Amino acid sequence: MIDIADFYNQISHHTIENQLIESKWPNQATKLVLRLLESTSAKVSRGIPVGPHWVHLLAEASLIPIDNSLSVRGLRFARFVDDIVVFLGSDEEARAAVYSLAEILDKQQRLHLQNAKTRILKANDFRTLCEQMIEDRPIDDLERLLVDIIKRHSDGNPYRIVLLSELSEEELRAFSVEAIEKILSDYLGVHPPDFIRLRWFLRRLAQVGHPAGVAFCLLALDQLLPAISDLCQYLISVGEAGHDVQWLELGELLLDALDHPLVRANEYFQLSVLALFARVVQLNHLPALISRYSSAPPFVRREILLAADAGGGVDWIREQKEQFQSMDQWSRRAFLFAARRLPLDERRFFLKAVHDPSTLDQLLINQAKRGG
């Protein structure tokens, strides 16, 4: 079993270009992808973003030459992005394969093995490892009970929303504040926390949108930052379900979180928290967000504009029209999106004056003109 060191940061844009051309992509589409990648890597021709699902396809495509090189050597292997498992007949063959893999990665794309994650396992040990990875491992009987309820109503589909109205009175009682807080506390009480399982549990809570864990999660936000994306999805699911939650108090906790040193030091954490105010209107606190606007960096301004759009701040949005030309491109797009809230004549006059819009800008302008 091998892993490629710092894989996403080491992917060559030239390799991606070659694979897109080989895959018969239109020339213009290939150029657009490369321009997008260069914009995220400060014009360096190496490295792609980590996170967006479409990037996974590019990462997979970049290793097609590695797959082909392994295949022509007669090696049997399975690969998921940068995790490669090679199946061999003996310990001696396995050691030889490690050196061969290191050579292939270096010669093909100047990639290197992650030594700490390179392992040679006997077949039985590998089988045991695989079984452990795919089985459910609830931290206690409480989690097992809740997960079983969710599975029963979702037919085991982790993406299906389960309405609380579908649950029986007995099942609803199982989702108590005490039960969910105990599960979350147990996960955070282990050192180091098993964030893979914790994130999985948060995704299950998001399936039902039950509010029992909301207060705990926000009070323990600094501990849950490694799971911030799944935590936000959970909060959004609760908001969309319309549950009676003390949203104003939770909004204050989120505003406090924005001033947390770890959150202030990480753009992704800030975006995750700020996006909640646009997705969960009940959080409110628009005045507090607006007060941050003038001194905020561009990516924060964009989220405040979207929150103002969602929260009915159309008159404040109008006041930002004079700054439109000096906004960064994504703040401009957020403003164009929000412009659909302006009165009809004012909206048409403003949108007509937007010069040289990009394709995406024009789509937003068209939407704003319709007022929807």
Side-chain angles (χ1 to χ4, degrees), residues 65 119 204 261 325:
R119 305 167 64 186
R204 301 292 75 74
Q325 295 298 336

Side-chain angles (χ1 to χ4, degrees), residues 75-129:
L75 294 173
R76 291 186 302 155
F77 69 97
R79 181 179 64 77
F80 178 73
V81 195
D82 59 331
D83 292 311
I84 306 174
V85 180
V86 184
F87 302 93
L88 301 130
S90 68
D91 184 75
E92 185 177 295
E93 290 179 8
R95 294 183 185 281
V98 170
Y99 292 114
S100 181
L101 275 163
E103 183 179 9
I104 292 169
L105 291 169
D106 179 57
K107 287 185 175 180
Q108 287 275 1
Q109 298 181 33
R110 292 294 184 259
L111 298 172
H112 305 284
L113 295 183
Q114 177 72 271
N115 292 330
K117 293 185 178 180
T118 298
R119 305 167 64 186
I120 296 176
L121 298 174
K122 299 290 186 183
N124 286 337
D125 294 334
F126 179 70
R127 187 178 294 109
T128 300
L129 177 63

Side-chain angles (χ1 to χ4, degrees), residues 15 17 36 40-41 60 94 107 120 133 166 188-189 194-197 199 207 209-210 223 252 294 350 358 366 368:
T15 300
E17 179 181 16
L36 177 58
T40 65
S41 62
E60 289 282 3
K107 287 185 175 180
I120 296 176
M133 292 175 70
E166 299 175 18
L188 293 176
D194 185 351
F195 279 107
I196 293 177
R197 281 293 309 179
R199 293 176 62 188
Q207 273 187 269
H210 198 290
Q223 296 174 269
E252 290 178 6
S294 60
F350 167 72
S358 67
N366 294 342

Side-chain angles (χ1 to χ4, degrees), residues 103-238:
E103 183 179 9
I104 292 169
L105 291 169
D106 179 57
K107 287 185 175 180
Q108 287 275 1
Q109 298 181 33
R110 292 294 184 259
L111 298 172
H112 305 284
L113 295 183
Q114 177 72 271
N115 292 330
K117 293 185 178 180
T118 298
R119 305 167 64 186
I120 296 176
L121 298 174
K122 299 290 186 183
N124 286 337
D125 294 334
F126 179 70
R127 187 178 294 109
T128 300
L129 177 63
C130 291
E131 290 171 349
Q132 290 174 348
M133 292 175 70
I134 63 174
E135 69 180 3
D136 281 340
R137 291 172 284 124
I139 199 166
D140 56 25
D141 290 338
L142 285 174
E143 183 185 3
R144 183 176 288 105
L145 173 62
L146 299 184
V147 170
D148 286 345
I149 292 172
I150 296 170
K151 283 184 175 180
R152 186 158 58 246
H153 288 274
S154 65
D155 296 324
N157 183 347
Y159 303 103
R160 183 184 179 278
I161 299 300
V162 177
L163 300 177
L164 293 184
S165 58
E166 299 175 18
L167 307 185
S168 67
E169 288 295 327
E170 182 180 355
E171 290 173 330
L172 277 173
R173 283 194 295 272
F175 285 85
S176 66
V177 172
E178 294 76 16
I180 291 178
E181 288 190 356
K182 182 181 184 305
I183 294 168
L184 294 169
S185 294
D186 288 345
Y187 273 117
L188 293 176
V190 178
H191 184 74
D194 185 351
F195 279 107
I196 293 177
R197 281 293 309 179
L198 175 55
R199 293 176 62 188
W200 187 90
F201 179 64
L202 287 172
R203 290 196 291 272
R204 301 292 75 74
L205 287 181
Q207 273 187 269
V208 294
H210 198 290
V214 170
F216 178 93
C217 287
L218 289 183
L219 289 170
L221 184 60
D222 58 335
Q223 296 174 269
L224 288 168
L225 285 177
I228 188 71
S229 176
D230 299 289
L231 170 56
C232 289
Q233 284 303 124
Y234 168 50
L235 296 177
I236 290 168
S237 71
V238 175

Side-chain angles (χ1 to χ4, degrees), residues 55 287 320:
V55 175
Q320 313 313 309

Side-chain angles (χ1 to χ4, degrees), residues 298-299 301-302 324 326-333:
F299 70 89
R301 292 187 178 192
R302 179 186 74 220
F324 178 77
S326 62
M327 290 179 183
D328 71 287
Q329 63 176 353
W330 287 104
S331 293
R332 285 164 58 95
R333 287 164 182 166

